Amino acid sequence: MNNASSSLSRALVVCAGLACGMLLSFSVPAFAQPTSAPLKVPDLKYEKYTLPNGLEVILREDHRLPLVAVDLWYHVGPVNEKAGRTGFAHLFEHMMFEGSEHVGEKAHFKYLEGAGATDINGTTSYDRTNYFETIPSNELDLALWLESDRMGFLLETLDRAKLTNQRDVVRNELRQDEGNPYDVADEAVGHLLFPKGHPYYGNVIGSHADVEAARLLDVRDFFHHFYTPNNASISIVGDFDAATIKEKVAKFFGPIPAGPVVEKVKVETPQIATERRVTVTDTVQLPRLSVAWLSPEAFHPGDEDTDMFVNILGGGKISRLYQKLVYQDQIAQSVNCSNQSMMVTSIASCDIIARPGVKLEDLEAAFDKEVELLRKDGPTQAELDRARNQSLSGLIQGLQRLGGFGGVADMMDRYNQYLGDPGYLPKDVARYEAITPAGVKKVGQDVFGKNQRVVVYCIPGKKVTEDVPRSPADTDATVKVTPPYAPEFETAQDWRKEAPKPGPEPTLHLPTPTTFELANGVKVYLIEEHALPVVSASLVTLAGGEENPKDKAGLAGFTARLLSEGTTTRSSTQLANDVARIGAELSASASMDSANVSVGALSNNTAPALELLSDVALHPAFKAEEVERIRQQRLVGILQEADQPISSVLRVGNKVLYGDQPYGFQPVGTTESVKAMTRDDLTGFWSAHYAPKNAALILAGDLTESEAKQMAEKYFGGWSSSTASATTAIPAPPAAPARKVVIVDKPGSPQTTLITFGLGVPRNTPDYAAITEMNSILGGLFSSRINMNLREKNGFTYGAFSGFFFYRLGGPFYSGAQVRTDITGPATHELFAELNRIHTDPATPEELKLAKDNALRTLPGDFETVGNESGLMAELFVYGLPTDYFQKLPAAFQAVTPEAVAQAAKAYIHPDNLIVVAVGDRAKIEPELEKLNLGPIEYRDESGGLLKK
């Protein structure tokens, strides 16, 4: 399931480079390497009990925000499916959102979005299916009502029409995955690791044939056996009333009868005794090597050692494979190794994408050498310490989120399913702290042998997928279903027909940052948050893509990217080592409006993290060899965009809409501009735009104001620049375009990526609140008009959407979806029907109330993590918003009137001035698009270049 909405990134050079001495004019403080304090492991107190019907309940109070996370795990996944019935668990993940007896058809999302819930979703993995939402605390009863009703009363409304619709949606999701690069290789890995009939053999989504073969009685029987209280656990974490919570849980879930006993899964996984390999073809630009092994089951001996082995091997910039294959030899574009811990067996795997011209055989030989060295000698203590710190930091930083996929509630459910112990966190930390180099070496010897692995070569060629026709229209038409409950029981549950009323509105306290300014002009924004031992720090500068000269697209992004590749005192490798040593995450990038260097860490490492941030931002080396290495990476990245439908459509759509203005280019730039950039261009851009008066330091998390002032002064107070910040004169926005259709041919594509582009509005527009609510109604929410039409009514797509890129001076409006190739024409027609209807059919009171309630009540969730808080505070600086902006935003949302929504639609939604970009199989989609008579059709390549017909 997916929320269906997916939001789609120089000045004149004052100094020509080092020849001016500008870079050398900054003093480099000789900071002593700050030391780490002891790790703080949060004490997550909880209570667990079981209802008479078998439902396990896990409760944890957390009153830092007026939010409650509800996370329901059903212990069912592909591990429970039978051959020929794959994909049932994932299909049910979708069916569970279609409406239950007392909730009503397709009303689940509407209730939750109106209540201001966030993280509304469901996910399926091989071992379980979960459903979750984070909701304002006064709406907890609503979440319990919704979850209990679909647990106990889904079958009453599960009919053939809903099943047909969701079969279409699920198969669109499968096609969307199939359209992604290397998807066929991922599936081939599973087919080599496991025999047919093994529950981990196929895709979690299932196959087209099996999903299409799902019949009403089969699906109802699957629900009856597995979606029961005795096969589930519910974790409730957040701002609830401890005195009434048990009564509420008993009220909503207690009456649901227990289902059949679910037998423990018994699956034998044959061990691999001889290497297995296969070569597959895909419509990709670069070949990829994939290697995988069967590894110990989740939380079994050797599981944590395997995590460390794959992390040390290929888990980040300091890993052996990255340093050898990507950094030193430059034969790989990327390396990604991971260990997927599961119930029956786990999977350790590495995916390595080759650089252009590199043979996979040579890449494999270099890969094998690194694996064997690690197996033979084991890791050093320093390598193990780095990997351990990264894992523990990630584990604890994930606790910032109450719910969602990977939050506290979800973590407790996971510990409960695999171990029966929701409070396993201290033991989990302890098992990682107990790992030794000898243990990692042993698992390398036991698991990672050549004869124990599978190897998949994925090379450019034809993509082969197996689609099947839709079932006949009369499928299941004569099926008779039996009501699951007696009339007497149904009558006793009539109280469920009315949705629970919300409790008193919680007091809304959105943080206002503490601000101060250093003597050199750096503005500092601080939000204190001491609930968890985590900290986020960012240096934000007004050095984004809009400052790129016309002939140097991507210069801002290239410059920012080099910041994390070495300083005047640290090489790129030393920098990566120091980041990993403290378990931090460091990034540097440029968006359209700004550049951001950020670090996230546990608060016991605040001082070392800020020292790293300061060194990276203020003392970049721009070494010639690093410039050339990153240049090649970015050129290959541009090449790879052709493999990604969304990346292709963004590059083309913005180019057609804005031409050669900065907004017309992707942050990475173009092949021509990246090739032409010199080191002097990069150093000149940095010198001109990275200056104290042009920057803000954003701090959030577990540090006090006095600590913030002391560290800001220590690490950024000595920053000086004799160069005033330069700003390029940005061209005025182009005139609104006449509507036309642009086709980018992608032969054999299983879907069409269909997106419209039009002129939008600046972030600081006074109409921001009205535009937000108008767009929620149009295409910003799951329950929006566009999504309900294209996905829920017609089954054309996995998700449809609309939205705005709110850049400083404007930015595009977009709408669309990824749709089945054969219905590209009808889907385009329906999309424009909704874009026009927002003018002719004003928002109903119900629609406006839902949009307004969603805008108001989701605001606390925007501040759930320190990273989120940092991002919001950066908005204040970048867009010149007042420090109390977010405190006043609720009142702005509340004041939006129906007339303001209608005016926003009139002012900003212009169907006759949209560029329609369709990336797909031209031979199949062009005739349908011609029939719509939307305007002239032109043809572009994947870089946006105009082609002759």
Side-chain angles (χ1 to χ4, degrees), residues 722-734:
S722 61
T723 303
S725 177
T727 302
T728 299
I730 300 171

Side-chain angles (χ1 to χ4, degrees), residues 656-657 734-740 756-760 813 832 835-836 839 906-916 934:
V656 177
L657 183 62
R739 189 168 67 191
K740 62 182 175 182
T756 72
F757 291 82
L759 298 179
F813 162 77
F832 272 90
L835 292 169
N836 283 298
H839 296 285
K906 180 180 179 181
Y908 305 117
I909 306 299
H910 303 292
D912 291 337
N913 302 111
L914 296 178
I915 307 296
V916 183
L934 293 172

Side-chain angles (χ1 to χ4, degrees), residues 51-55 74 101-102 148-156 223-232 250-262 483-486 488-490 492-493 496:
L51 294 182
N53 60 10
L55 177 66
Y74 292 93
E101 180 180 11
H102 306 102
S148 64
D149 208 61
R150 62 180 176 181
M151 174 188 280
F153 302 92
L154 188 81
L155 291 183
E156 284 81 352
F223 179 87
H224 175 71
H225 275 86
F226 296 110
Y227 286 79
T228 59
N230 51 300
N231 194 44
K251 172 185 175 182
F252 289 107
F253 289 94
I256 303 172
V261 175
V262 178
Y485 300 126
E488 296 79 12
F489 179 81
E490 290 280 9
Q493 298 300 308
R496 295 180 182 268

Side-chain angles (χ1 to χ4, degrees), residues 18 112 249 261 548 622 817:
L18 280 177
L112 287 172
V249 173
V261 175
N548 289 331
F622 294 107

Side-chain angles (χ1 to χ4, degrees), residues 492-688:
Q493 298 300 308
D494 279 349
W495 60 271
R496 295 180 182 268
K497 291 181 177 179
E498 186 174 352
K501 299 291 189 293
E505 287 284 343
T507 303
L508 193 59
H509 291 300
L510 299 180
T512 297
T514 299
T515 61
F516 55 93
E517 189 170 315
L518 302 183
N520 58 7
V522 174
K523 300 173 183 64
V524 183
Y525 295 70
L526 167 68
I527 293 183
E528 290 189 51
E529 176 57 71
H530 301 286
L532 288 169
V534 295
V535 68
S536 171
S538 300
L539 187 75
V540 182
T541 64
L542 303 180
E546 67 180 17
E547 298 293 329
N548 289 331
K550 181 179 178 180
D551 61 341
K552 290 183 172 58
L555 179 57
F558 200 166
T559 303
R561 177 68 178 82
L562 261 296
L563 301 184
S564 60
E565 294 299 334
T567 73
T568 54
T569 58
R570 287 179 169 100
S571 68
S572 178
T573 298
Q574 289 169 329
L575 179 60
N577 178 77
D578 288 347
V579 171
R581 180 182 57 82
I582 62 171
E585 292 184 0
L586 177 76
S587 63
S589 62
S591 65
M592 191 59 69
D593 298 320
S594 63
N596 186 306
V597 189
S598 62
V599 64
L602 300 183
S603 57
N604 63 315
N605 285 313
T606 299
L610 278 169
E611 191 275 322
L612 287 167
L613 178 68
S614 173
D615 196 27
V616 165
L618 309 190
H619 312 121
F622 294 107
K623 292 182 179 179
E625 61 270 27
E626 299 296 348
V627 172
E628 292 309 311
R629 184 174 64 84
I630 299 304
R631 186 198 310 279
Q632 295 307 313
Q633 283 192 358
R634 294 176 79 79
L635 289 171
V636 175
I638 294 171
L639 181 69
Q640 289 180 291
E641 283 186 353
D643 296 341
Q644 301 282 354
I646 294 295
S647 295
S648 294
V649 82
L650 282 172
R651 179 174 286 277
V652 174
N654 289 330
K655 176 70 172 178
V656 177
L657 183 62
Y658 289 103
D660 291 335
Q661 293 188 16
Y663 290 180
F665 295 99
Q666 290 294 86
V668 72
T670 68
T671 298
E672 295 75 18
S673 68
V674 173
K675 284 182 177 179
M677 284 181 207
T678 66
R679 181 175 180 274
D680 286 348
D681 290 330
L682 300 168
T683 59
F685 187 89
W686 180 84
S687 299

Side-chain angles (χ1 to χ4, degrees), residues 74-285:
Y74 292 93
H75 310 311
V76 57
V79 72
N80 304 99
E81 294 170 349
K82 300 175 182 177
R85 293 292 184 266
T86 64
F88 269 43
H90 178 261
L91 178 61
F92 248 103
E93 180 207 312
H94 284 253
M95 297 302 300
M96 292 280 275
F97 287 92
E98 289 303 288
S100 49
E101 180 180 11
H102 306 102
V103 171
E105 186 173 352
K106 302 187 187 299
H108 190 96
F109 266 100
K110 289 184 178 180
Y111 275 117
L112 287 172
E113 288 177 337
T118 57
D119 292 326
I120 315 166
N121 221 324
T123 67
T124 308
S125 70
Y126 283 109
D127 300 336
R128 62 97 186 105
T129 308
N130 71 339
Y131 302 88
F132 49 86
E133 56 271 335
T134 299
I135 197 160
S137 52
N138 67 319
E139 294 279 11
L140 175 58
D141 285 15
L142 177 68
L144 299 177
W145 175 66
L146 290 167
E147 292 295 354
S148 64
D149 208 61
R150 62 180 176 181
M151 174 188 280
F153 302 92
L154 188 81
L155 291 183
E156 284 81 352
T157 64
L158 202 168
D159 57 24
R160 58 188 290 263
K162 289 182 179 178
L163 178 58
T164 298
N165 175 269
Q166 289 307 303
R167 274 201 307 253
D168 286 342
V169 171
V170 167
R171 292 185 61 197
N172 284 326
E173 182 181 0
L174 184 53
R175 293 185 187 101
Q176 190 166 305
D177 284 355
E178 290 170 344
N180 289 328
Y182 310 109
D183 180 77
V184 293
D186 294 336
E187 189 167 22
V189 169
H191 291 175
L192 290 180
L193 284 170
F194 306 104
K196 283 186 177 180
H198 191 285
Y200 294 173
Y201 173 82
N203 195 318
V204 169
I205 302 178
S207 67
H208 283 287
D210 285 359
V211 172
E212 194 57 48
R215 295 296 176 256
L216 188 57
L217 292 182
D218 296 329
V219 171
R220 291 175 68 90
D221 181 67
F222 192 85
F223 179 87
H224 175 71
H225 275 86
F226 296 110
Y227 286 79
T228 59
N230 51 300
N231 194 44
S233 66
I234 185 169
S235 181
I236 304 172
V237 176
D239 183 34
F240 58 75
D241 181 4
T244 62
I245 186 64
K246 290 185 178 180
E247 180 184 338
K248 292 177 185 289
V249 173
K251 172 185 175 182
F252 289 107
F253 289 94
I256 303 172
V261 175
V262 178
E263 300 293 335
K264 185 177 178 61
V265 173
K266 297 179 180 178
V267 177
E268 293 295 329
T269 303
Q271 293 302 299
I272 299 172
T274 303
E275 181 187 80
R276 305 167 185 170
R277 60 172 56 227
V278 70
T279 297
V280 299
T281 58
D282 196 358
T283 53
V284 294
Q285 303 297 315

